[in-house]
Amino acid sequence: MTNISIGTASREPKLDDRPLARRVGLIILATDHTTEVDFQRLVASERIGVYVTRIPYANPVTPENLMKMQPSLTAAAELILPDESLDAVIYSCTSASVVISDARIEAAVQAAKPGVPVVTPTAAAVQGLKALGAKRISVLTPYTVETSRPMAEYFAGLGFEIDRFTCLGLSDDRDMARISHDDIAAFAKEAMSTESDALFISCTAVRAAEVVPRIEKAIGKPVVSSNLATAWACLRICGDTASLPELGQLMTKPYREG
């Protein structure tokens, strides 16, 4: 055996408080193909780190199956950089945010990460639509009517007038992630009422954030998608106020928490 000399450095290394200035925790479904990729593209940078954990989920997408994720939320949040603070935590499931409720999701995450700002796609979408001045909206979801109905009630209950609500009838989020960009744009154009101020495209699995600028150009109105809304909220919470019109009109707006 070679005789290798191993010694100790003359001093201990200096440690930075954080490897990156801001830390975003991301809770996604075990089956999610899209959110992690979108957040690496839209949020992660030399200044903002995105730290991901996955929770158990089994298709089909029904209110009953969505509700089953609630007990996993606290444990999932605990696994994101244990004993260290985060600047925001996102629970990335739009339909489950409606079924479980924004308030219960916030409570479950804060049980593990006290005081952290918690972002859901639904709450972020509401803030985004308000930032864009939208009062009348059209909505496109990939879900069945059964799963979509609570979402229609959610937005109506918050004072939005829904001119048109379109469902694609899918029940597997892995299929939702495979809808082509061309079809997302085509269905979005069909789903938009001329009377609406903006279009909301639901579902964190749908790859809509990438084609929002294309859709806005086609319909002449602002578009908010689930992942675009949560990414926008996270950037603003982390102090990034840059206006990025190339990513969509929402990315030019300030964000109000609460």
Side-chain angles (χ1 to χ4, degrees):
M1 181 176 178
T2 304
N3 186 17
I4 300 174
S5 176
I6 301 176
T8 302
S10 60
R11 61 178 180 84
E12 293 185 358
K14 180 181 178 181
L15 305 180
D16 290 334
D17 180 50
R18 293 183 173 195
L20 295 176
R22 293 288 181 264
R23 301 190 285 225
V24 170
L26 185 57
I27 301 173
I28 64 177
L29 280 56
T31 51
D32 188 327
H33 285 267
T34 307
T35 305
E36 199 166 5
V37 177
D38 276 350
F39 265 66
Q40 287 299 321
R41 181 173 62 89
L42 296 170
V43 177
S45 68
E46 293 180 355
R47 180 175 167 273
I48 302 175
V50 176
Y51 304 91
V52 184
T53 189
R54 290 178 177 257
I55 59 173
Y57 177 71
N59 282 290
V61 178
T62 64
E64 294 76 19
N65 281 346
L66 294 167
M67 183 64 78
K68 290 177 182 177
M69 284 187 278
Q70 183 178 354
S72 302
L73 290 173
T74 301
E78 286 175 340
L79 289 173
I80 306 173
L81 302 181
D83 302 320
E84 298 194 56
S85 63
L86 300 171
D87 295 284
V89 173
I90 300 86
Y91 171 55
S92 191
C93 185
T94 320
S95 51
S97 296
V98 171
V99 174
I100 298 170
S101 86
D102 298 325
R104 288 176 180 168
I105 291 167
E106 180 179 67
V109 171
Q110 290 183 344
K113 298 288 186 180
V116 69
V118 178
V119 179
T120 64
T122 43
V126 167
Q127 292 299 325
L129 291 165
K130 288 181 177 179
L132 291 162
K135 296 180 179 179
R136 303 174 65 113
I137 62 173
S138 293
V139 180
L140 173 64
T141 85
Y143 323 121
T144 62
V145 170
E146 175 195 18
T147 301
S148 296
R149 186 171 285 112
M151 187 166 296
E153 295 169 353
Y154 174 90
F155 282 102
L158 290 172
F160 292 97
E161 186 168 347
I162 300 175
D163 295 311
R164 187 177 296 166
F165 200 110
T166 305
C167 311
L168 299 183
L170 299 178
S171 60
D172 190 315
D173 70 325
R174 295 165 297 185
D175 292 337
M176 297 172 194
R178 289 176 167 84
I179 303 171
S180 71
H181 287 160
D182 286 346
D183 258 3
I184 293 169
F187 282 120
K189 188 174 180 180
E190 289 179 17
M192 183 63 179
S193 168
T194 56
E195 297 177 344
S196 292
D197 301 315
L199 172 68
F200 173 56
I201 304 176
S202 181
C203 190
T204 55
V206 174
R207 296 174 294 154
E210 295 178 76
V211 288
V212 161
R214 172 178 164 186
I215 298 168
E216 289 184 335
K217 184 176 180 180
I219 67 177
K221 298 284 181 69
V223 177
V224 175
S225 77
S226 292
N227 286 351
L228 187 68
T230 54
W232 165 72
C234 282
L235 287 170
R236 298 300 186 250
I237 289 170
C238 288
D240 189 331
T241 60
S243 178
L244 301 169
E246 67 275 15
L247 299 178
Q249 294 184 47
L250 179 59
M251 285 294 195
T252 68
K253 302 297 182 183
Y255 170 78
R256 274 187 174 180
E257 292 185 55

